[in-house]
Amino acid sequence: MEESTPRIEQQDTADGRVLLVRGAWTAADLTGQAAWEALTAQLQGLRGKASASRWNLEPLEKFDYLGAQVLWNHWGRAWPAEVQMAPSQRAVLETVAKFTCSPPKARKPDWTEPLIVLGHRVFSQADQARGMLRLIGQLLLDIIRLIRHPQQGPWRDLSGHLYHIGATALPITALVGFLIGVVLAYLISQQLRQFGADAFIVNILGISLIRELGPVLAAILIAGRSGSAITAQIGVMRVTEELDAMRVMGIARGFRLVMPRALALALVMPLISVWTTLAALLGGMLAANISMGVSPSFFINTLPAAVDVSNLTLATGKSVVFGLLIALVGCHYGLRVKPNTESLGQGTTASVVTSITVVILVDALFAVLFKSVGI
């Protein structure tokens, strides 16, 4: 075992000191932790003497390209002044010397680097905005085409999306809405009880759930559930080259892919919003009854007087906009997916994040523009 250990021995001769390379310098022998640590320590002790020393590789038992690479790196990637070796060993070393390249030097960042990065991001966002604007314009043209020729409309696709986006989302939206209503009612009750204003829980729950939380919560759930599904579906069509096949066959992608999903989400989002709001109000009503003794009959009778109908109208209008935006963002990122699985995952993630961000931004815009409605 000692004979095959990779090592370097020093031998003094009449002509000077000779470094003898012994053992087995192969991948199997060099990858052992103990042997590698011992050889590394020995090479570090000989650093600076490689080019000025005489080397003899003939005592080597085994020699492969990994051993030659270690030895070549120790020599500073240059031949020593004098080296003695077999022809086969020289061939291996010459191959390693031919294909070994130095890593590129790290470029020092200058003052223009932040500007370049900022420019890339600005142009990337501008390209995203241009693509979204083009998608909106194409959707308007497709809707005009559908109005002119309703018999050519993709009605089966539309009905399928209505079912998958709307009907299958009812359980999860109802559950989340109910739990949000319970949590919100318990938190509000703890504050109102301090001032003896138990009856005002109906006003707070009604305004917050009907006007804001219900539509936003439903939109966020749909963005994470259906927005990602839209991006994944269209992205898979890109990976499997179905989009290219549609273009070759002359099938308009906007008319068959984007418009049915946009219309389906625009139609179904107000219904899901109302459904989520009702579930949240039910949870808040039960929590108010348990924590504050507010009876369900009092809650139901007081709610119409506490919340104006215009709040529900505003919430419904917001939901339509939310649905259109979620569908457009999902289709936008789906159509921009490159034909590889990595891009598909990145596009789906970006679609969900962008959809939720857009929903919150548009909701804030509605809150500012319609701040006097229903108050």
Side-chain angles (χ1 to χ4, degrees), residues 308-350:
D308 193 77
V309 180
S310 58
N311 291 294
L312 181 60
T313 305
L314 177 61
T316 304
K318 286 197 299 186
S319 300
V320 175
V321 178
F322 291 162
L324 278 174
L325 291 176
I326 292 171
L328 288 174
V329 170
C331 294
H332 170 72
Y333 280 97
L335 292 172
R336 295 176 70 91
V337 168
K338 298 178 182 178
N340 58 75
T341 55
E342 181 181 3
S343 178
L344 177 61
Q346 294 174 352
T348 304
T349 303

mmCIF file of all heavy atoms in Angstrom, residues 308-350:
data_model
loop_
_atom_site.group_PDB
_atom_site.id
_atom_site.type_symbol
_atom_site.label_atom_id
_atom_site.label_comp_id
_atom_site.label_asym_id
_atom_site.label_seq_id
_atom_site.Cartn_x
_atom_site.Cartn_y
_atom_site.Cartn_z
ATOM 1 N N ASP A 308 -73.779 50.349 1.936
ATOM 2 C CA ASP A 308 -74.541 50.807 0.784
ATOM 3 C C ASP A 308 -74.373 49.840 -0.389
ATOM 4 O O ASP A 308 -73.342 49.165 -0.523
ATOM 5 C CB ASP A 308 -74.070 52.206 0.387
ATOM 6 C CG ASP A 308 -75.021 52.863 -0.588
ATOM 7 O OD1 ASP A 308 -76.080 53.344 -0.149
ATOM 8 O OD2 ASP A 308 -74.689 52.875 -1.790
ATOM 9 N N VAL A 309 -75.384 49.793 -1.251
ATOM 10 C CA VAL A 309 -75.345 48.886 -2.393
ATOM 11 C C VAL A 309 -74.219 49.258 -3.362
ATOM 12 O O VAL A 309 -73.670 48.392 -4.073
ATOM 13 C CB VAL A 309 -76.711 48.894 -3.118
ATOM 14 C CG1 VAL A 309 -76.702 47.960 -4.316
ATOM 15 C CG2 VAL A 309 -77.824 48.524 -2.150
ATOM 16 N N SER A 310 -73.843 50.525 -3.390
ATOM 17 C CA SER A 310 -72.781 50.958 -4.303
ATOM 18 C C SER A 310 -71.455 50.281 -3.979
ATOM 19 O O SER A 310 -70.602 50.128 -4.868
ATOM 20 C CB SER A 310 -72.618 52.480 -4.244
ATOM 21 O OG SER A 310 -72.323 52.896 -2.921
ATOM 22 N N ASN A 311 -71.250 49.857 -2.729
ATOM 23 C CA ASN A 311 -70.035 49.127 -2.386
ATOM 24 C C ASN A 311 -69.979 47.784 -3.103
ATOM 25 O O ASN A 311 -68.911 47.360 -3.567
ATOM 26 C CB ASN A 311 -69.943 48.924 -0.878
ATOM 27 C CG ASN A 311 -69.707 50.218 -0.130
ATOM 28 O OD1 ASN A 311 -68.654 50.837 -0.258
ATOM 29 N ND2 ASN A 311 -70.703 50.636 0.649
ATOM 30 N N LEU A 312 -71.122 47.119 -3.173
ATOM 31 C CA LEU A 312 -71.172 45.857 -3.894
ATOM 32 C C LEU A 312 -70.964 46.065 -5.386
ATOM 33 O O LEU A 312 -70.295 45.265 -6.050
ATOM 34 C CB LEU A 312 -72.516 45.172 -3.630
ATOM 35 C CG LEU A 312 -72.718 43.809 -4.292
ATOM 36 C CD1 LEU A 312 -71.661 42.821 -3.821
ATOM 37 C CD2 LEU A 312 -74.125 43.277 -3.999
ATOM 38 N N THR A 313 -71.531 47.146 -5.925
ATOM 39 C CA THR A 313 -71.318 47.462 -7.349
ATOM 40 C C THR A 313 -69.848 47.735 -7.637
ATOM 41 O O THR A 313 -69.287 47.268 -8.638
ATOM 42 C CB THR A 313 -72.164 48.678 -7.743
ATOM 43 O OG1 THR A 313 -73.535 48.427 -7.414
ATOM 44 C CG2 THR A 313 -72.037 48.970 -9.222
ATOM 45 N N LEU A 314 -69.211 48.491 -6.745
ATOM 46 C CA LEU A 314 -67.790 48.774 -6.919
ATOM 47 C C LEU A 314 -66.960 47.499 -6.831
ATOM 48 O O LEU A 314 -66.023 47.294 -7.617
ATOM 49 C CB LEU A 314 -67.329 49.775 -5.858
ATOM 50 C CG LEU A 314 -65.838 50.135 -5.852
ATOM 51 C CD1 LEU A 314 -65.436 50.781 -7.177
ATOM 52 C CD2 LEU A 314 -65.522 51.048 -4.680
ATOM 53 N N ALA A 315 -67.307 46.638 -5.890
ATOM 54 C CA ALA A 315 -66.569 45.379 -5.745
ATOM 55 C C ALA A 315 -66.734 44.503 -6.978
ATOM 56 O O ALA A 315 -65.773 43.850 -7.427
ATOM 57 C CB ALA A 315 -67.050 44.644 -4.496
ATOM 58 N N THR A 316 -67.944 44.486 -7.548
ATOM 59 C CA THR A 316 -68.171 43.686 -8.747
ATOM 60 C C THR A 316 -67.375 44.229 -9.935
ATOM 61 O O THR A 316 -66.776 43.470 -10.712
ATOM 62 C CB THR A 316 -69.668 43.667 -9.093
ATOM 63 O OG1 THR A 316 -70.405 43.191 -7.963
ATOM 64 C CG2 THR A 316 -69.943 42.770 -10.275
ATOM 65 N N GLY A 317 -67.361 45.561 -10.088
ATOM 66 C CA GLY A 317 -66.577 46.149 -11.168
ATOM 67 C C GLY A 317 -65.087 45.881 -11.013
ATOM 68 O O GLY A 317 -64.388 45.591 -11.993
ATOM 69 N N LYS A 318 -64.589 45.952 -9.779
ATOM 70 C CA LYS A 318 -63.180 45.643 -9.551
ATOM 71 C C LYS A 318 -62.875 44.198 -9.909
ATOM 72 O O LYS A 318 -61.806 43.893 -10.464
ATOM 73 C CB LYS A 318 -62.810 45.897 -8.084
ATOM 74 C CG LYS A 318 -62.702 47.345 -7.704
ATOM 75 C CD LYS A 318 -61.952 47.507 -6.399
ATOM 76 C CE LYS A 318 -62.648 46.822 -5.255
ATOM 77 N NZ LYS A 318 -61.973 47.117 -3.971
ATOM 78 N N SER A 319 -63.785 43.311 -9.584
ATOM 79 C CA SER A 319 -63.550 41.892 -9.847
ATOM 80 C C SER A 319 -63.425 41.606 -11.342
ATOM 81 O O SER A 319 -62.619 40.763 -11.749
ATOM 82 C CB SER A 319 -64.680 41.051 -9.234
ATOM 83 O OG SER A 319 -64.746 41.239 -7.837
ATOM 84 N N VAL A 320 -64.229 42.307 -12.156
ATOM 85 C CA VAL A 320 -64.111 42.122 -13.608
ATOM 86 C C VAL A 320 -62.731 42.545 -14.090
ATOM 87 O O VAL A 320 -62.078 41.839 -14.879
ATOM 88 C CB VAL A 320 -65.212 42.926 -14.328
ATOM 89 C CG1 VAL A 320 -65.025 42.844 -15.838
ATOM 90 C CG2 VAL A 320 -66.592 42.409 -13.935
ATOM 91 N N VAL A 321 -62.255 43.683 -13.588
ATOM 92 C CA VAL A 321 -60.919 44.159 -13.972
ATOM 93 C C VAL A 321 -59.847 43.197 -13.473
ATOM 94 O O VAL A 321 -58.881 42.884 -14.187
ATOM 95 C CB VAL A 321 -60.690 45.579 -13.430
ATOM 96 C CG1 VAL A 321 -59.287 46.066 -13.771
ATOM 97 C CG2 VAL A 321 -61.722 46.538 -13.992
ATOM 98 N N PHE A 322 -60.005 42.706 -12.243
ATOM 99 C CA PHE A 322 -59.044 41.742 -11.702
ATOM 100 C C PHE A 322 -58.965 40.496 -12.575
ATOM 101 O O PHE A 322 -57.868 39.988 -12.873
ATOM 102 C CB PHE A 322 -59.431 41.344 -10.280
ATOM 103 C CG PHE A 322 -59.272 42.441 -9.270
ATOM 104 C CD1 PHE A 322 -59.908 42.364 -8.039
ATOM 105 C CD2 PHE A 322 -58.498 43.550 -9.543
ATOM 106 C CE1 PHE A 322 -59.769 43.368 -7.105
ATOM 107 C CE2 PHE A 322 -58.350 44.571 -8.615
ATOM 108 C CZ PHE A 322 -58.991 44.478 -7.389
ATOM 109 N N GLY A 323 -60.123 39.987 -12.984
ATOM 110 C CA GLY A 323 -60.137 38.779 -13.802
ATOM 111 C C GLY A 323 -59.439 38.984 -15.138
ATOM 112 O O GLY A 323 -58.649 38.134 -15.581
ATOM 113 N N LEU A 324 -59.732 40.118 -15.800
ATOM 114 C CA LEU A 324 -59.074 40.396 -17.077
ATOM 115 C C LEU A 324 -57.559 40.505 -16.914
ATOM 116 O O LEU A 324 -56.795 39.953 -17.710
ATOM 117 C CB LEU A 324 -59.627 41.694 -17.658
ATOM 118 C CG LEU A 324 -60.953 41.610 -18.416
ATOM 119 C CD1 LEU A 324 -61.429 42.998 -18.801
ATOM 120 C CD2 LEU A 324 -60.817 40.726 -19.650
ATOM 121 N N LEU A 325 -57.122 41.203 -15.879
ATOM 122 C CA LEU A 325 -55.689 41.388 -15.683
ATOM 123 C C LEU A 325 -54.984 40.076 -15.358
ATOM 124 O O LEU A 325 -53.883 39.809 -15.847
ATOM 125 C CB LEU A 325 -55.453 42.414 -14.564
ATOM 126 C CG LEU A 325 -55.837 43.853 -14.902
ATOM 127 C CD1 LEU A 325 -55.656 44.752 -13.693
ATOM 128 C CD2 LEU A 325 -55.021 44.368 -16.069
ATOM 129 N N ILE A 326 -55.603 39.245 -14.533
ATOM 130 C CA ILE A 326 -54.988 37.955 -14.191
ATOM 131 C C ILE A 326 -54.846 37.090 -15.437
ATOM 132 O O ILE A 326 -53.807 36.455 -15.669
ATOM 133 C CB ILE A 326 -55.821 37.244 -13.111
ATOM 134 C CG1 ILE A 326 -55.733 38.001 -11.785
ATOM 135 C CG2 ILE A 326 -55.340 35.805 -12.919
ATOM 136 C CD1 ILE A 326 -56.690 37.492 -10.733
ATOM 137 N N ALA A 327 -55.897 37.070 -16.267
ATOM 138 C CA ALA A 327 -55.831 36.266 -17.487
ATOM 139 C C ALA A 327 -54.789 36.809 -18.455
ATOM 140 O O ALA A 327 -54.020 36.040 -19.050
ATOM 141 C CB ALA A 327 -57.206 36.238 -18.155
ATOM 142 N N LEU A 328 -54.725 38.125 -18.604
ATOM 143 C CA LEU A 328 -53.759 38.710 -19.534
ATOM 144 C C LEU A 328 -52.324 38.499 -19.054
ATOM 145 O O LEU A 328 -51.439 38.193 -19.858
ATOM 146 C CB LEU A 328 -54.043 40.208 -19.700
ATOM 147 C CG LEU A 328 -55.302 40.567 -20.499
ATOM 148 C CD1 LEU A 328 -55.548 42.064 -20.475
ATOM 149 C CD2 LEU A 328 -55.180 40.079 -21.937
ATOM 150 N N VAL A 329 -52.093 38.640 -17.756
ATOM 151 C CA VAL A 329 -50.741 38.411 -17.233
ATOM 152 C C VAL A 329 -50.343 36.950 -17.405
ATOM 153 O O VAL A 329 -49.217 36.630 -17.813
ATOM 154 C CB VAL A 329 -50.666 38.832 -15.752
ATOM 155 C CG1 VAL A 329 -49.353 38.371 -15.127
ATOM 156 C CG2 VAL A 329 -50.791 40.345 -15.629
ATOM 157 N N GLY A 330 -51.276 36.035 -17.119
ATOM 158 C CA GLY A 330 -50.979 34.616 -17.287
ATOM 159 C C GLY A 330 -50.678 34.260 -18.733
ATOM 160 O O GLY A 330 -49.712 33.534 -19.017
ATOM 161 N N CYS A 331 -51.477 34.771 -19.661
ATOM 162 C CA CYS A 331 -51.229 34.497 -21.079
ATOM 163 C C CYS A 331 -49.947 35.171 -21.557
ATOM 164 O O CYS A 331 -49.205 34.601 -22.377
ATOM 165 C CB CYS A 331 -52.412 34.979 -21.918
ATOM 166 S SG CYS A 331 -53.954 34.087 -21.628
ATOM 167 N N HIS A 332 -49.681 36.374 -21.056
ATOM 168 C CA HIS A 332 -48.472 37.091 -21.461
ATOM 169 C C HIS A 332 -47.213 36.307 -21.124
ATOM 170 O O HIS A 332 -46.344 36.099 -21.974
ATOM 171 C CB HIS A 332 -48.454 38.458 -20.773
ATOM 172 C CG HIS A 332 -47.162 39.198 -20.914
ATOM 173 N ND1 HIS A 332 -46.751 39.771 -22.092
ATOM 174 C CD2 HIS A 332 -46.167 39.439 -20.015
ATOM 175 C CE1 HIS A 332 -45.578 40.349 -21.921
ATOM 176 N NE2 HIS A 332 -45.194 40.153 -20.675
ATOM 177 N N TYR A 333 -47.130 35.833 -19.889
ATOM 178 C CA TYR A 333 -45.943 35.078 -19.487
ATOM 179 C C TYR A 333 -45.921 33.686 -20.115
ATOM 180 O O TYR A 333 -44.847 33.129 -20.358
ATOM 181 C CB TYR A 333 -45.866 34.974 -17.966
ATOM 182 C CG TYR A 333 -45.325 36.222 -17.313
ATOM 183 C CD1 TYR A 333 -46.183 37.178 -16.781
ATOM 184 C CD2 TYR A 333 -43.966 36.459 -17.249
ATOM 185 C CE1 TYR A 333 -45.696 38.329 -16.196
ATOM 186 C CE2 TYR A 333 -43.460 37.616 -16.665
ATOM 187 C CZ TYR A 333 -44.335 38.542 -16.133
ATOM 188 O OH TYR A 333 -43.834 39.682 -15.562
ATOM 189 N N GLY A 334 -47.080 33.119 -20.379
ATOM 190 C CA GLY A 334 -47.114 31.828 -21.048
ATOM 191 C C GLY A 334 -46.604 31.892 -22.470
ATOM 192 O O GLY A 334 -45.866 31.013 -22.924
ATOM 193 N N LEU A 335 -46.967 32.963 -23.181
ATOM 194 C CA LEU A 335 -46.509 33.118 -24.559
ATOM 195 C C LEU A 335 -45.025 33.471 -24.641
ATOM 196 O O LEU A 335 -44.396 33.273 -25.682
ATOM 197 C CB LEU A 335 -47.330 34.209 -25.258
ATOM 198 C CG LEU A 335 -48.809 33.865 -25.513
ATOM 199 C CD1 LEU A 335 -49.553 35.079 -26.024
ATOM 200 C CD2 LEU A 335 -48.941 32.704 -26.493
ATOM 201 N N ARG A 336 -44.452 34.002 -23.567
ATOM 202 C CA ARG A 336 -43.041 34.366 -23.555
ATOM 203 C C ARG A 336 -42.136 33.252 -23.045
ATOM 204 O O ARG A 336 -40.920 33.435 -22.945
ATOM 205 C CB ARG A 336 -42.827 35.616 -22.689
ATOM 206 C CG ARG A 336 -43.500 36.852 -23.242
ATOM 207 C CD ARG A 336 -43.326 38.027 -22.302
ATOM 208 N NE ARG A 336 -41.951 38.482 -22.273
ATOM 209 C CZ ARG A 336 -41.454 39.420 -23.067
ATOM 210 N NH1 ARG A 336 -42.236 39.997 -23.970
ATOM 211 N NH2 ARG A 336 -40.205 39.788 -22.984
ATOM 212 N N VAL A 337 -42.714 32.110 -22.718
ATOM 213 C CA VAL A 337 -41.911 30.979 -22.254
ATOM 214 C C VAL A 337 -41.049 30.468 -23.389
ATOM 215 O O VAL A 337 -41.505 30.330 -24.531
ATOM 216 C CB VAL A 337 -42.814 29.855 -21.707
ATOM 217 C CG1 VAL A 337 -42.025 28.573 -21.495
ATOM 218 C CG2 VAL A 337 -43.454 30.292 -20.400
ATOM 219 N N LYS A 338 -39.795 30.190 -23.092
ATOM 220 C CA LYS A 338 -38.886 29.613 -24.083
ATOM 221 C C LYS A 338 -39.036 28.093 -24.093
ATOM 222 O O LYS A 338 -39.522 27.515 -23.111
ATOM 223 C CB LYS A 338 -37.445 30.005 -23.751
ATOM 224 C CG LYS A 338 -37.216 31.511 -23.791
ATOM 225 C CD LYS A 338 -35.794 31.850 -23.405
ATOM 226 C CE LYS A 338 -35.586 33.371 -23.408
ATOM 227 N NZ LYS A 338 -34.215 33.748 -22.992
ATOM 228 N N PRO A 339 -38.636 27.432 -25.157
ATOM 229 C CA PRO A 339 -38.863 25.976 -25.258
ATOM 230 C C PRO A 339 -37.927 25.165 -24.369
ATOM 231 O O PRO A 339 -37.142 24.345 -24.839
ATOM 232 C CB PRO A 339 -38.620 25.693 -26.750
ATOM 233 C CG PRO A 339 -37.712 26.776 -27.200
ATOM 234 C CD PRO A 339 -38.076 27.987 -26.409
ATOM 235 N N ASN A 340 -37.980 25.392 -23.054
ATOM 236 C CA ASN A 340 -37.240 24.568 -22.102
ATOM 237 C C ASN A 340 -37.970 24.608 -20.769
ATOM 238 O O ASN A 340 -38.720 25.557 -20.472
ATOM 239 C CB ASN A 340 -35.786 25.036 -21.943
ATOM 240 C CG ASN A 340 -35.670 26.472 -21.504
ATOM 241 O OD1 ASN A 340 -35.911 26.800 -20.338
ATOM 242 N ND2 ASN A 340 -35.315 27.353 -22.430
ATOM 243 N N THR A 341 -37.761 23.588 -19.958
ATOM 244 C CA THR A 341 -38.498 23.457 -18.706
ATOM 245 C C THR A 341 -38.095 24.518 -17.690
ATOM 246 O O THR A 341 -38.916 24.918 -16.856
ATOM 247 C CB THR A 341 -38.274 22.061 -18.112
ATOM 248 O OG1 THR A 341 -36.857 21.829 -17.978
ATOM 249 C CG2 THR A 341 -38.861 20.991 -19.015
ATOM 250 N N GLU A 342 -36.851 24.958 -17.716
ATOM 251 C CA GLU A 342 -36.417 25.985 -16.760
ATOM 252 C C GLU A 342 -37.176 27.289 -16.978
ATOM 253 O O GLU A 342 -37.644 27.928 -16.025
ATOM 254 C CB GLU A 342 -34.919 26.218 -16.900
ATOM 255 C CG GLU A 342 -34.370 27.258 -15.925
ATOM 256 C CD GLU A 342 -32.882 27.489 -16.102
ATOM 257 O OE1 GLU A 342 -32.295 26.873 -17.019
ATOM 258 O OE2 GLU A 342 -32.308 28.281 -15.347
ATOM 259 N N SER A 343 -37.326 27.686 -18.229
ATOM 260 C CA SER A 343 -38.078 28.893 -18.533
ATOM 261 C C SER A 343 -39.549 28.743 -18.161
ATOM 262 O O SER A 343 -40.194 29.715 -17.755
ATOM 263 C CB SER A 343 -37.947 29.226 -20.020
ATOM 264 O OG SER A 343 -38.708 30.362 -20.358
ATOM 265 N N LEU A 344 -40.078 27.529 -18.271
ATOM 266 C CA LEU A 344 -41.474 27.295 -17.887
ATOM 267 C C LEU A 344 -41.676 27.561 -16.400
ATOM 268 O O LEU A 344 -42.644 28.222 -15.998
ATOM 269 C CB LEU A 344 -41.870 25.859 -18.239
ATOM 270 C CG LEU A 344 -43.282 25.423 -17.844
ATOM 271 C CD1 LEU A 344 -44.326 26.281 -18.540
ATOM 272 C CD2 LEU A 344 -43.491 23.949 -18.181
ATOM 273 N N GLY A 345 -40.777 27.069 -15.569
ATOM 274 C CA GLY A 345 -40.893 27.318 -14.139
ATOM 275 C C GLY A 345 -40.732 28.781 -13.786
ATOM 276 O O GLY A 345 -41.478 29.325 -12.959
ATOM 277 N N GLN A 346 -39.770 29.441 -14.418
ATOM 278 C CA GLN A 346 -39.568 30.858 -14.154
ATOM 279 C C GLN A 346 -40.760 31.690 -14.605
ATOM 280 O O GLN A 346 -41.173 32.631 -13.909
ATOM 281 C CB GLN A 346 -38.296 31.331 -14.871
ATOM 282 C CG GLN A 346 -37.016 30.720 -14.325
ATOM 283 C CD GLN A 346 -35.791 31.101 -15.143
ATOM 284 O OE1 GLN A 346 -35.925 31.711 -16.213
ATOM 285 N NE2 GLN A 346 -34.608 30.765 -14.670
ATOM 286 N N GLY A 347 -41.334 31.348 -15.748
ATOM 287 C CA GLY A 347 -42.492 32.083 -16.231
ATOM 288 C C GLY A 347 -43.710 31.919 -15.339
ATOM 289 O O GLY A 347 -44.451 32.878 -15.092
ATOM 290 N N THR A 348 -43.915 30.711 -14.828
ATOM 291 C CA THR A 348 -45.057 30.473 -13.939
ATOM 292 C C THR A 348 -44.901 31.256 -12.646
ATOM 293 O O THR A 348 -45.857 31.869 -12.152
ATOM 294 C CB THR A 348 -45.172 28.970 -13.647
ATOM 295 O OG1 THR A 348 -45.276 28.254 -14.877
ATOM 296 C CG2 THR A 348 -46.408 28.687 -12.815
ATOM 297 N N THR A 349 -43.697 31.245 -12.080
ATOM 298 C CA THR A 349 -43.453 32.006 -10.854
ATOM 299 C C THR A 349 -43.648 33.496 -11.084
ATOM 300 O O THR A 349 -44.296 34.187 -10.284
ATOM 301 C CB THR A 349 -42.027 31.731 -10.350
ATOM 302 O OG1 THR A 349 -41.854 30.333 -10.146
ATOM 303 C CG2 THR A 349 -41.769 32.464 -9.052
ATOM 304 N N ALA A 350 -43.084 34.010 -12.161
ATOM 305 C CA ALA A 350 -43.227 35.439 -12.465
ATOM 306 C C ALA A 350 -44.687 35.807 -12.714
ATOM 307 O O ALA A 350 -45.123 36.909 -12.344
ATOM 308 C CB ALA A 350 -42.379 35.799 -13.684
#
